[in-house]
Amino acid sequence: MRQELLSLPKGLAEEVSKNLVMVARLIDEDPEQAYAYSRIALRLASRVAAVREAAGFAAYATQKYSEALAEFRAAKRMTGSVELWPVMADCERGLGRPERALAMAGEPEVQKLDKAGQVEMRLVAAGARRDQGQLEAAVVTLQSPELASNAVQPWTARLRYAYADALLAAGRDDEAREWFGKALEADKDGATDASDRLAELDGVEFVDAADLSDDEDQDGTENLVDDEDDEDENEDPAEVAAAERATDVTEYYDEDDEEYEPLEQSAADADVRGDKA
């Protein structure tokens, strides 16, 4: 990308670079904002392949599949690279054209992909099979040497997860559970929710601690704050007032203070103390 930006005037290259950095930084947490930055970069340097590719991924992240496909095609024409072939096929799926995605899976471009790209293409093809309701065919599509290998590669967790999900969709629950477990073993970065899917299959239900506390209160569990409030409500107001005044006297009384003058006892205090006597 840097080499491509060097073809631009220095000031323009810096401005485009800043926007591309923001696209990369925000595309996962705030896709819409990333898309906005990509449009700025595209307006400034539409003839740079890296800009068209970034704009394509930003549009893809916001499910603007037609726009994304157009940008990916433009980037492919500029570079001659086929590395975007799987995501282009997935855009066809997003546009409701799974048959086109499957056709792309059989094109010569797939053979030019590296191993990661071929695995990605297999994932897209399996998704297209599921889009067409061909659940068992989706399972077969994912069966490959990469799936059978015990070696853990960057794509292993996603491939195993997709296979487990396809098995589950086909009603093969026991096998699905086994492969969700294998996906979890390979998922060191938490890229999938394999652990949640396993728990779901095992019938494990997670309970929010806040909800549990509310339920305990409703079931009659002792609530100290409420009990204290109830005790306060049962006290005689006159007794409370007298006690407060007595506390004030004790708190502020200083025997060494020559100016101290005891507070006069109110009639209410006298009545209360008389009653207690």
Side-chain angles (χ1 to χ4, degrees), residues 218-239:
Q218 293 172 4
D219 293 340
T221 303
E222 183 178 2
N223 188 318
L224 299 179
V225 175
D226 291 343
D227 291 345
E228 290 175 359
D229 291 342
D230 291 342
E231 290 177 3
D232 291 344
E233 290 177 359
N234 295 329
E235 291 182 352
D236 188 325
E239 292 184 8

Side-chain angles (χ1 to χ4, degrees), residues 11 23 40 52 63 78-79 99 106 111 115 126 130-131 133 135 166 172 180 192 211 214 239-240 251 265 272 274:
V23 172
I40 297 173
R52 302 302 290 266
Q63 300 183 3
M78 292 177 179
T79 63
E99 69 284 352
Q111 303 306 316
K115 185 63 67 176
R130 291 183 63 173
D131 293 342
L135 302 183
R172 297 159 63 173
F180 276 128
T192 72
D211 294 339
D214 292 342
E239 292 184 8
V240 173
E251 183 176 355
Q265 183 184 52
V272 171

Side-chain angles (χ1 to χ4, degrees), residues 124-143:
V124 173
R129 292 292 185 190
R130 291 183 63 173
D131 293 342
Q132 295 181 322
Q134 301 172 8
L135 302 183
E136 286 294 342
V139 171
V140 173
T141 299
L142 291 169
Q143 293 172 348

Side-chain angles (χ1 to χ4, degrees), residues 54-240:
F57 278 110
Y60 179 80
T62 54
Q63 300 183 3
K64 298 177 176 64
Y65 298 117
S66 180
E67 188 176 323
L69 185 57
E71 298 300 341
F72 290 142
R73 284 173 175 167
K76 180 178 177 296
R77 284 195 304 270
M78 292 177 179
T79 63
S81 172
V82 297
E83 66 178 7
L84 294 173
W85 197 253
V87 71
M88 290 168 63
D90 206 38
C91 285
E92 295 287 5
R93 284 187 61 213
L95 291 169
R97 303 190 293 239
E99 69 284 352
R100 292 195 186 183
L102 288 172
M104 291 179 68
E107 294 291 333
E109 283 82 354
V110 177
Q111 303 306 316
K112 301 176 184 178
L113 294 168
D114 60 13
K115 185 63 67 176
Q118 290 180 7
V119 170
E120 197 65 36
M121 192 71 240
R122 200 174 279 277
L123 292 170
V124 173
R129 292 292 185 190
R130 291 183 63 173
D131 293 342
Q132 295 181 322
Q134 301 172 8
L135 302 183
E136 286 294 342
V139 171
V140 173
T141 299
L142 291 169
Q143 293 172 348
S144 62
E146 294 80 17
L147 180 67
S149 174
N150 290 324
V152 175
Q153 303 292 344
W155 62 78
T156 302
R158 291 181 59 239
L159 180 58
R160 292 177 179 179
Y161 181 93
Y163 187 60
D165 197 42
L167 288 168
L168 189 62
R172 297 159 63 173
D173 294 14
D174 291 341
E175 294 173 86
R177 192 198 180 289
E178 176 187 353
W179 280 95
F180 276 128
K182 291 182 178 181
L184 183 59
E185 290 175 3
D187 192 3
K188 306 302 181 184
D189 300 325
T192 72
D193 64 344
S195 60
D196 293 340
R197 301 296 297 274
L198 271 173
E200 183 180 336
L201 285 172
D202 291 340
V204 176
E205 184 177 351
F206 296 99
V207 180
D208 192 299
D211 294 339
L212 184 61
S213 297
D214 292 342
D215 293 341
E216 288 179 351
D217 289 345
Q218 293 172 4
D219 293 340
T221 303
E222 183 178 2
N223 188 318
L224 299 179
V225 175
D226 291 343
D227 291 345
E228 290 175 359
D229 291 342
D230 291 342
E231 290 177 3
D232 291 344
E233 290 177 359
N234 295 329
E235 291 182 352
D236 188 325
E239 292 184 8
V240 173

